[in-house]
Amino acid sequence: MQKALAEKALAHAASVMPGFTHLQPAQPVTFGHHLLAYVEMFSRDRSRLRDARTRLNESPLGAAALAGTSFAIDRAMTAKALGFDRPTANSLDSVADRDFVLETLSAAAICAVHLSRLAEEIVLWAMPQFGFAGLSDKFSTGSSIMPQKRNPDAAELIRGKSGRIIGALNALLIVMKGLPLAYSKDLQEDKEGTFDALHSLSLCMAAMTGMVGDLTPDLKRMKTAAGLGYATATDLADWLVRTLKLPFREAHHITGRLVAIAATQKKGLEKLSLAEMQAIEPRISEDVFAVLGVENSVRSRTSFGGTAPKNVRTQAKLWLKRLKK
């Protein structure tokens, strides 16, 4: 799944799209940068699962019912023979503990949330109101009565299954919260939900991998949308700070006034004349127009982790190399 995302990110390292905060247009980013954000999320999920395994891989064999045993057993030997890293160190804890399940389910639930967020974005992108990307018939279906519909069913199912996975974690937490040491029959409830959650998570990852590969972005629509909502206003404010040496608070105020003028005239910042800008700040020069295009905006974000296309290409290639290993 990470490989599918990184490959698509590399292909679209310079494809401009709107970045959002509060689901409102904020600043232009690239489609590749957006996809790499999920590669990072899923990397942390993998790390959490690895960490969980380091703690869960202990053998309870020999703890007996709760107190250990009087027989001369070698628990270290049996743990090694069965492929565990070590034996558990307390017989009561061995019988009563389900942290190893809870931690695994917690990692699975966080991963499911990441999957659900990406699925939700795909659902939004597929809407005509956004029109940022589409799915083929492999991952979408028509309506039973409306022939024009193409519903992103695979994304919706992934979004729905996240509740099932989160529910398994919640269910076991509730089972565990009032149990005294050591064993109670309630603890058999750790099995069914866990197996179902991990099966569902595997299914969702397989579906998302296919869906990412299938996703076809509408680059023209995304680029047009990236310029809406005065998304380059921050670039203008930054230019005022860099070029005119203004404090950012003052640059923010000037930019706000220019946005208000553009909004009154129902046009973009880049459509304001130099005279209109100089009426607010006389020192603004013709050079300002170079920062008002969305492509110039994303190219300028060269800080480490930023959306500049060269950054995205570098990170995508690093991820593909890492994943190949």
Side-chain angles (χ1 to χ4, degrees):
M1 184 170 62
Q2 288 179 289
K3 183 171 179 284
L5 286 162
E7 285 174 345
K8 185 138 288 188
L10 184 59
H12 293 285
S15 300
V16 180
M17 70 174 291
F20 298 94
T21 61
H22 310 276
L23 204 55
Q24 301 292 322
Q27 291 179 273
V29 296
T30 69
F31 188 47
H33 191 59
H34 194 109
L35 295 177
L36 286 179
Y38 284 101
V39 177
E40 295 290 337
M41 291 184 207
F42 293 128
S43 174
R44 293 192 295 274
D45 292 326
R46 292 178 69 171
S47 177
R48 273 185 281 270
L49 287 165
R50 280 195 300 269
D51 287 347
R53 180 167 175 79
T54 63
R55 282 180 285 280
L56 71 81
N57 203 34
E58 296 183 338
S59 172
L61 186 65
L66 76 162
T69 180
S70 59
F71 290 99
I73 62 172
D74 185 343
R75 293 192 64 215
M77 183 276 288
T78 54
K80 184 178 179 181
L82 292 170
F84 289 96
D85 293 333
R86 57 200 162 267
T88 53
N90 182 284
S91 61
L92 278 171
D93 181 53
S94 305
V95 175
D97 168 59
R98 291 299 181 274
D99 286 5
F100 64 98
V101 186
L102 289 169
E103 189 172 359
T104 303
L105 283 176
S106 179
I110 295 170
C111 184
V113 168
H114 292 155
L115 282 162
S116 184
R117 294 183 73 178
L118 178 53
E120 169 66 8
E121 293 204 302
I122 291 172
V123 170
L124 289 174
W125 294 343
M127 292 171 59
Q129 290 86 345
F130 276 77
F132 289 176
L135 295 166
S136 75
D137 289 342
K138 292 180 182 178
F139 294 93
S140 61
T141 61
S143 164
S144 57
I145 65 169
M146 292 169 281
Q148 83 282 8
K149 295 288 292 297
R150 176 173 280 180
N151 301 319
D153 287 0
E156 292 172 0
L157 288 166
I158 289 172
R159 190 176 59 185
K161 283 190 179 293
S162 65
R164 190 167 180 162
I165 297 164
I166 295 165
L169 170 62
N170 286 340
L172 187 57
L173 283 168
I174 293 165
V175 167
M176 296 298 299
K177 72 174 180 62
L179 295 185
L181 298 182
Y183 184 76
S184 299
K185 201 65 174 176
D186 314 49
L187 290 171
Q188 71 176 17
E189 290 298 318
D190 67 347
K191 310 290 188 303
E192 188 176 3
T194 301
F195 298 154
D196 180 76
L198 297 180
H199 173 73
S200 295
L201 185 64
S202 297
L203 184 63
C204 288
M205 283 192 280
M208 184 59 81
T209 302
M211 194 157 41
V212 167
D214 186 75
L215 196 67
T216 304
D218 187 330
L219 303 182
K220 185 177 179 181
R221 184 73 175 260
M222 287 198 300
K223 184 177 177 180
T224 300
L228 299 176
Y230 304 100
T232 57
T234 305
D235 296 277
L236 173 56
D238 289 348
W239 184 88
L240 292 169
V241 171
R242 282 196 312 271
T243 307
L244 304 185
K245 310 303 181 186
L246 295 174
F248 187 81
R249 182 168 62 177
E250 188 176 341
H252 187 287
H253 178 67
I254 291 168
T255 302
R257 292 179 66 188
L258 290 171
V259 167
I261 292 169
T264 300
Q265 299 179 16
K266 296 183 178 179
K267 61 185 181 183
L269 277 173
E270 72 282 0
K271 299 296 184 182
L272 290 176
S273 68
L274 182 59
E276 287 174 312
M277 291 190 180
Q278 289 176 337
I280 304 300
E281 171 48 65
R283 291 176 292 168
I284 293 177
S285 68
E286 194 77 32
D287 294 343
V288 74
F289 292 101
V291 303
L292 296 181
V294 292
E295 289 180 330
N296 290 333
S297 175
V298 296
R299 275 198 295 267
S300 72
R301 307 294 170 184
T302 55
S303 60
F304 181 75
T307 191
K310 67 176 186 178
N311 288 18
V312 176
R313 289 188 189 97
T314 299
Q315 287 299 318
K317 288 175 182 177
L318 283 172
W319 267 115
L320 290 170
K321 184 177 180 181
R322 195 181 309 172
L323 293 167
K324 189 176 180 181
K325 287 181 181 181

